[in-house]
Amino acid sequence: MIFWKKRRLKTHTSDSLSINNGNLFMDNEVKTWLYDIQTAILEIESFFADRPKEFANYQADVRTKRAVERNVEIIGEAMSRI
């Protein structure tokens, strides 16, 4: 079953990194996008935790294909905003 997630992506209005007393701090938006990427990767991996990773099985399972494609879209969108 696929659960749709509410996305937290916003327009990027500040620099990705800010300098404070010589230290670099990541912007909270960048941390959110990195979290979204990590979550999408973990979700993709979970689809194949209980079965062998064979391309023929993947091609035959439309729901898994759609879920993987959606997570790849999430990764791409987050990467474009970093």
Side-chain angles (χ1 to χ4, degrees), residues 3-21:
F3 295 97
W4 297 103
K5 299 177 187 176
K6 187 183 252 187
R7 302 312 311 156
R8 296 180 305 274
L9 298 176
K10 301 177 258 180
T11 57
H12 191 58
T13 58
S14 63
D15 293 332
S16 297
L17 297 174
S18 61
I19 299 175
N20 186 356
N21 296 329

Side-chain angles (χ1 to χ4, degrees), residues 53-80:
K53 295 178 184 174
E54 296 178 7
F55 188 66
N57 293 342
Y58 171 76
Q59 281 184 310
D61 188 354
V62 174
R63 283 185 285 180
T64 301
K65 281 175 52 175
R66 297 280 190 259
V68 169
E69 290 168 1
R70 176 64 185 136
N71 278 296
V72 170
E73 289 173 0
I74 290 169
I75 292 168
E77 184 175 348
M79 289 294 297
S80 71

